[in-house]
Every structure is written in C-alpha cells, then in structure tokens.
C-alpha cells in the first residue's frame, strides 16, 4: 500500500542494521560478557538496597517530607553515587564524557534531559550528583528500585489518578520554587522513550514553575566514548514563557533539537499510539486504517466491511468484537492477523468495529467522505436526536481516525460545528470541509491512497508556538505489522 513520505525519521521505530561480522561478534562476546555484566551489576544493586534503606531508617513521615541533610546525606550519598557509577561501568559504560558546566541549584532548579532513549539514560544521574526525579508511584513496589526512589526522595505520581497528578504538580512546583531548600531536580520532558532521531513534544511539567532550566543533551557515539552528556547554558524564561508553560516547553525543545541536529516535532505518545496534534485532534503517525488495509492483503475488503457495518447497525452491544469474531468477519485464515489488527485500536484482543470500519473505508476508497460521515453520524447519534453531544462527537472523530478514546480534545471542533445551533450532520460536514484546520484532517487522513499519496502536510502548530518541521506525510506500513 502506497503512503506519503515524511522528510524526517519516525521517532518511535528502532532500526538496527548489523553486518554478518557484527552479528557474529555480538553472539560470541554477548554469550560471555552479558551474563557476567548482569551478575556483577546485580551484586551492586543488592548492595545499594540496604544502603538506600538505612539512609531513611528511623525518619518520621514529617522528617521525610523535608530534604534529607546532615550526616545521612554526607555519609550515604557518596556511597550511593559510587555504587551507581559502578553499575553502569559494569554494564559497559567505561567512560562518560561531559561537556559544558552543570549549573548549580540556584542558577537552575531543574535539569531537562533529552532525548530519552531507554533505561540506561539514568546514567545521567551520576554527573548530576543523583538529582531528584519524578517517577510513577507503581515503581515503588519494585525490588531495589523502590528503595532507590525512596532514597532519592522522588516525586511520585499515579498517572491514572487525577488527584495524584494534581498533588504531584503541586509538590513539583513547591520544590522548584523553594530557592535552594530542595535539591536540584532532573526530568525527561519527552515523557517516553524514542529512538533519539527526533525530539517529540515536551510535556509542560518541568516548566510549570516558570523557573530557569538547564538543558542537558544525551548522545551515544558507540565508539571509544560510551556516552556524552552536554550541559547547555541555563535557559531563563521570558515573562510570556513563565505565563505559558507550553510555550516555554516548545521553545526549549526547539533549542535542544537545534543543538542535537534533529527535528523538533509535535509528536506525542497517547497510550500506546504515537500521534501529532492538530486543532485538538490526535492524528496518528501510522494510521491504523492504513496499517489494517495492508494487513488484509487479498481479502475482499468491500464484502468484509459490509459485514462489519451490518453488525454495527444491528445495535450497540454488537459494536465490540473479539479477535476470533473479527477474523470471521474479515474471512481471515490466520487469527494472529486479527489479533494484530485489534492491537492497533485497543490494549487487548477486542476491538470496536466502528473504529475499524470508519478508519479503513475512506482509505480503501469505497465511499465518498460525505456518505461515510452520514453513516458515522447515524451510528454515533445514539439517541436519534439528529445532533451530537460533545462526547458523541469525540467518539465519532476517534473512529474516523482510528484512535481509542479518550484521546481527543474536540472542544474547538465542537464549538465551531455548533456555532450556528445544534451540532447537526450538516453543520459538522460544513466545518470539516471548509475550516482550514479540519479540512486538512479530511484531506490528509480520510482520503483514498491514490489521493492521499499526493498530499503533503504543512508545518504543524500547537496554537502557541510553531515548530519548524514542515513535512510530507509518508511511511512504509510494514514497520507496524510485526
């Protein structure tokens, strides 16, 4: 299946190319060094465990809520720093090159590190003197890791709990504005790992307090020097940036991307789906509909989609289907293909058939967009009122784009489409076909392959700060099929 081409690499796909000699060397040396290194690193971790526990032993809840100082810091902190560096030395990071000067606490209360490529990026904690981090509260239940987070007095957050997120934000701002009372913090503003070939959109957490930050760049040359940490000059926010954390985050992202020589993108990871943002909508980098179409191969697409639509029109309880049912509807011989398709739309082996139908149909060119929207409007107008609520509109757009809910901020679209009264099918069609932002969504994501392949995306904006990465949308489908 043909697709448009991006002008820069996909940040969520790792491509490893090894020569036969490199593969052989990896097998021989790996079979010897990997078990040895892991064993020695595990021993260091086991030593770190009691050290971490002893540092906080006997502290009351009130005492632990303040920075640990005095003998507990000057005695245990150097021991933990040495053990931490020993772990990474044993894992192969024999030498770490540090460029630039690390700012002190009063100059920059927070260090922002990018790109974030994996667990081993935590090596940056060594040259930053074990700066405090933000972590998921679930990690405290892990052996050793939980003790290390307690040692570090990390800010903990349960991402699925709104109240926990609010408390974490409040604690974060309190620490960053404490004027030296709390230690320096270290954050990965991308919020997830990438292949490092582009910077994805920075989350605003590190920038909420409006305090100066020091950007830290990570590089893995994979030669004699195992890793390079680059401390850039402290970034002092303008008054406008202090008032707008998203603008502040975008400007720091662009600065770091320029220093790294990689693109600054509007890509984010929502759930397990990499997307870009446009008009509040989440636009998938790899359209699930396009990937699904490629996986179906020689399947009778129209017949299969007609069966799927009949099933959906029979009533709401019939919207969900298991992988086995999906395989039957699509006449697939291999259930694994159906499982792979389910994985594009949900976290388990079930799928909302409306998402499959409405994301595949426009790309397959089986109906006009106007006809498709009519069908979608009818299915999502659950009460038959002839108009949609904000929630129903969100579900409809999620199905058209193949993104599970709740992944969309459709407030702007809903406001525009209901500006002349109830959000009717006619009003929604008018906005989607004439509004510059949403017209792009239709033209670039909801058109047949032969049309879509000729369209290019302009520079994406986030409404506040424009990123300098215009691109032409294109990617090979086979990357997502495994």
């Amino acid at each position: 299946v043909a697709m448009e081409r991006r002008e820069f690499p996909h940040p969520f796909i790792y491509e490893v190319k090894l020569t036969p000699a490199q593969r052989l060397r990896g097998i021989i040396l790996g079979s010897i060094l990997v078990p040895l290194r892991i064993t020695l690193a595990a021993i260091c971790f086991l030593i770190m465990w009691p050290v971490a526990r002893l540092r906080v032993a006997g502290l009351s809840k009130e005492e632990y809520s303040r920075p640990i100082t005095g003998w507990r810091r000057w005695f245990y902190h150097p021991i933990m720093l040495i053990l931490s560096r020993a772990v990474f030395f044993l894992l192969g990071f024999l030498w770490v090159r540090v460029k630039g000067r690390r700012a002190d606490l009063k100059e920059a209360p927070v260090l922002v590190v990018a790109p974030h490529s994996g667990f081993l990026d935590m090596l940056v904690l060594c040259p930053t003197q074990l700066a405090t981090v933000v972590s998921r509260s679930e990690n405290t239940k892990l052996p050793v890791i939980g003790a290390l987070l307690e040692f570090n007095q990390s800010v903990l957050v349960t991402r699925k709990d709104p109240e926990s997120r609010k408390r974490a934000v409040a604690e974060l701002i309190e620490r960053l504005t404490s004027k030296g009372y709390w230690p320096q913090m270290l954050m990965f503003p991308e919020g997830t790992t990438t292949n490092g070939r582009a910077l994805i959109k920075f989350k605003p957490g590190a920038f909420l307090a409006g305090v100066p930050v020091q950007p830290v760049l990570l590089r893995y040359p994979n030669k004699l020097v195992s890793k390079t940490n680059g401390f850039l000059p402290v970034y002092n926010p303008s008054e406008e940036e202090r008032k707008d954390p998203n603008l502040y985050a975008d400007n720091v992202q662009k600065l770091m991307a320029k220093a790294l020589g990689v693109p600054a993108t509007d890509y984010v990871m929502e759930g397990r789906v990499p997307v870009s943002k446009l008009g509040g909508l989440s636009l998938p980098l790899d359209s699930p509909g396009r990937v699904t179409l490629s996986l179906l191969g020689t399947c009778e697409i129209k017949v299969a989609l007609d069966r799927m639509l009949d099933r959906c029109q029979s009533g709401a309880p019939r919207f969900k289907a298991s992988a086995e049912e999906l395989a039957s509807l699509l006449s697939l011989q291999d259930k694994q293909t159906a499982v792979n398709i389910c994985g594009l739309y949900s976290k388990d082996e079930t799928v909302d058939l409306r998402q499959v139908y409405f994301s595949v149909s426009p790309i397959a060119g089986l109906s006009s967009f106007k006809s498709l929207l009519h069908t979608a409007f009818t299915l999502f107008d659950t009460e038959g009122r002839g108009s949609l609520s904000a929630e129903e509109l969100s579900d409809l757009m999620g199905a058209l784009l193949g993104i599970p809910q709740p992944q969309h901020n459709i407030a702007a679209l809903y406001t525009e489409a209901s500006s002349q009264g109830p959000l009717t099918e006619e009003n929604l069609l008018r906005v989607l076909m004439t509004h510059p932002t949403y017209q792009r969504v239709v033209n670039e994501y909801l058109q047949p392959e032969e049309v879509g392949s000729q369209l290019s995306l302009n520079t994406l904006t986030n409404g506040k700060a424009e990123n300098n990465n215009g691109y032409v949308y294109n990617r090979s489908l086979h990357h997502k099929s495994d």
Side-chain angles (χ1 to χ4, degrees), residues 249-414:
D250 286 340
N251 289 341
V252 173
Q253 179 211 27
K254 287 190 285 187
L255 174 73
M256 296 178 72
K258 183 178 180 180
L260 287 164
V262 300
T265 75
D266 279 324
Y267 297 165
V268 297
M269 190 68 106
E270 291 190 342
R272 300 191 307 172
V273 182
V275 303
S276 60
K277 292 289 190 178
L278 181 63
L281 297 177
S282 301
L283 306 180
L285 304 193
D286 293 302
S287 165
R290 296 182 192 274
V291 180
T292 298
L293 197 57
S294 73
L295 293 176
L296 295 181
T298 58
C299 169
E300 290 289 339
I301 304 295
K302 187 177 187 310
V303 174
L305 290 178
D306 285 345
R307 282 198 297 265
M308 200 175 295
L309 181 59
D310 289 340
R311 164 87 175 262
C312 290
Q313 290 176 331
S314 65
R318 305 292 288 170
F319 293 154
K320 281 281 189 178
S322 64
E324 292 84 354
E325 293 169 316
L326 183 63
S328 176
L329 287 168
L330 297 176
S331 299
L332 297 174
Q333 300 294 324
D334 180 16
K335 179 195 169 184
Q336 186 57 44
T337 301
V339 172
N340 291 341
I341 293 174
C342 287
L344 297 171
Y345 298 90
S346 67
K347 295 182 179 181
D348 54 31
E349 294 186 9
T350 64
V351 68
D352 187 326
L353 294 176
R354 294 175 299 179
Q355 286 194 313
V356 180
Y357 178 84
F358 289 114
S359 63
V360 172
S361 290
I363 298 168
L366 298 178
S367 62
S368 66
F369 176 73
K370 183 176 181 179
S371 173
L372 185 75
L373 184 64
H374 173 73
T375 303
F377 199 96
T378 303
L379 279 181
F380 286 96
D381 179 14
T382 54
E383 297 182 5
R385 302 184 310 272
S387 64
L388 298 181
S389 65
E391 183 179 356
E392 289 167 339
L393 175 62
S394 181
D395 290 338
L396 184 150
M397 293 305 299
L400 288 175
L401 296 171
I403 300 294
Q405 303 300 316
Q407 302 281 3
H408 291 287
N409 178 8
I410 50 82
L413 175 59
Y414 182 80

Side-chain angles (χ1 to χ4, degrees), residues 97-308:
R97 187 177 179 186
V98 179
K99 295 182 178 180
R101 180 187 69 85
R102 170 176 161 251
D104 63 35
L105 176 59
K106 292 184 178 180
E107 290 179 284
V110 61
L111 308 171
V112 290
V113 185
H116 188 17
S117 303
F119 172 76
L120 294 176
D121 289 342
M122 298 310 293
L123 175 58
V124 74
L125 285 171
C126 296
T128 59
Q129 300 297 306
L130 303 182
T132 305
V133 300
V134 178
S135 179
R136 294 186 303 166
S137 57
E138 295 86 348
N139 291 339
T140 59
K141 299 177 182 179
L142 298 175
V144 184
I145 300 299
L148 295 179
L149 290 174
E150 189 176 45
F151 173 95
N152 187 257
Q153 290 189 285
S154 304
V155 175
L156 302 175
V157 57
T158 303
R159 294 180 179 178
K160 295 182 180 180
D161 182 357
E163 290 302 316
S164 175
R165 292 200 300 271
K166 289 180 182 178
R167 288 194 298 271
V169 168
E171 183 177 358
L172 184 63
I173 293 175
E174 179 188 352
R175 291 193 183 193
L176 295 182
T177 56
S178 65
K179 296 182 180 181
Y181 180 67
W182 279 96
Q184 201 167 42
M185 295 200 69
L186 182 148
M187 300 180 71
F188 293 93
E190 290 178 290
T192 189
T193 56
T194 71
N195 59 19
R197 299 171 71 185
L199 290 189
I200 65 173
K201 188 174 179 64
F202 282 6
K203 295 183 180 298
F207 310 93
L208 289 172
V211 297
V213 303
Q214 182 173 35
V216 183
L217 309 178
L218 299 185
R219 290 189 178 92
Y220 291 85
N222 292 321
K223 295 180 180 179
L224 292 178
V225 179
S226 298
K227 180 186 171 84
T228 302
N229 295 312
F231 291 94
L232 297 183
V234 172
Y235 189 104
N236 289 286
S238 65
E239 188 61 32
E240 184 181 6
E241 288 171 328
R242 288 193 183 94
K243 295 177 180 178
D244 188 345
N246 288 304
L247 175 62
Y248 188 4
D250 286 340
N251 289 341
V252 173
Q253 179 211 27
K254 287 190 285 187
L255 174 73
M256 296 178 72
K258 183 178 180 180
L260 287 164
V262 300
T265 75
D266 279 324
Y267 297 165
V268 297
M269 190 68 106
E270 291 190 342
R272 300 191 307 172
V273 182
V275 303
S276 60
K277 292 289 190 178
L278 181 63
L281 297 177
S282 301
L283 306 180
L285 304 193
D286 293 302
S287 165
R290 296 182 192 274
V291 180
T292 298
L293 197 57
S294 73
L295 293 176
L296 295 181
T298 58
C299 169
E300 290 289 339
I301 304 295
K302 187 177 187 310
V303 174
L305 290 178
D306 285 345
R307 282 198 297 265
M308 200 175 295

